[in-house]
Amino acid sequence: MSKIRKIAILVLAVAAVVSFLIQRENLTQKAVTGGTVTVVEAPEQTEAMEHEAFLAEEYVSVLPEGENLALEGKIESSSFQDSYTPRKAIDGKADGVSYWEGAKDSYPNYLTVNLKEEKSFHAIRVCLNPDTRWGNRTQEFSVEISSDGENFTELIPSAAYEFTPDRNNEVILEFDETAAQYVQLKFTSNTGAGGGQVAEFEIYG
């Protein structure tokens, strides 16, 4: 092979490598500027650590002011599933199998606390077992109140509430001070079961 031919082959090989590097650089720039890659500046570190950009905000549960009036009350429901009776929703325990569950496919499900006499209150906390094994679910319910246990008026309209272990599987509803003897939750759906579910139904006053 002549010396000229060898030089020509070498020049072609170098040109091919340069072309490849240029194409790869262009692709990298497109990927970054195209919005498909999140660029995070790495902090200086001397030991293993988590970058703050990837840390989830810590949720801290704060109970409403006052006492939980439901603990001294009576409770009943329109139905219940297996051994998950309404009494378990006001026993002060949210762990284990201490929860009420409405009978399957029997909506609407009613869970009603009788405070024994008219009392003032300003907040309601509805929670499920906080264990992470209880996956996310959405329950739709309204809050109703009554002075005689028969005629109820709507205090809070029906809405969908998400229960997630990341937020302690709880929903806290706060409102202007009101008074009633009976406080009722009316469930119309639950993405996690065939009936409404409540580990603790708390009424603060």
Side-chain angles (χ1 to χ4, degrees), residues 100-126:
W100 163 81
E101 182 173 330
K104 185 177 180 181
D105 300 327
S106 63
Y107 294 117
N109 298 155
Y110 297 91
L111 187 62
T112 310
V113 171
N114 178 358
L115 299 175
K116 299 181 181 179
E117 63 182 18
E118 185 174 284
K119 294 184 179 180
S120 296
F121 51 92
H122 58 267
I124 290 173
R125 176 176 178 260
V126 180

Side-chain angles (χ1 to χ4, degrees), residues 43-52:
E44 295 183 6
Q45 63 185 71
T46 57
E47 59 183 16
M49 60 185 293
E50 294 181 294
H51 195 287
E52 61 181 10

Side-chain angles (χ1 to χ4, degrees), residues 8 10 21 27 33 37 56 68 82 95 98 102 146 170:
L10 180 60
L21 292 175
L27 288 173
T33 59
V37 177
N68 177 14
D82 300 326
D95 57 353
S98 180
S146 172
E170 68 179 0

Side-chain angles (χ1 to χ4, degrees), residues 7 14 17 22 39-40 85 99 109 113 158 163 186 196 205:
I7 293 174
V14 171
V17 171
I22 291 174
V39 179
V40 177
T85 60
Y99 64 93
N109 298 155
V113 171
S158 182
F163 291 81
K186 178 183 177 181

Side-chain angles (χ1 to χ4, degrees), residues 131-142:
D131 194 290
T132 55
R133 288 177 293 182
W134 279 66
N136 293 7
R137 67 200 62 206
T138 299
Q139 299 196 81
E140 187 169 349
F141 62 87
S142 60

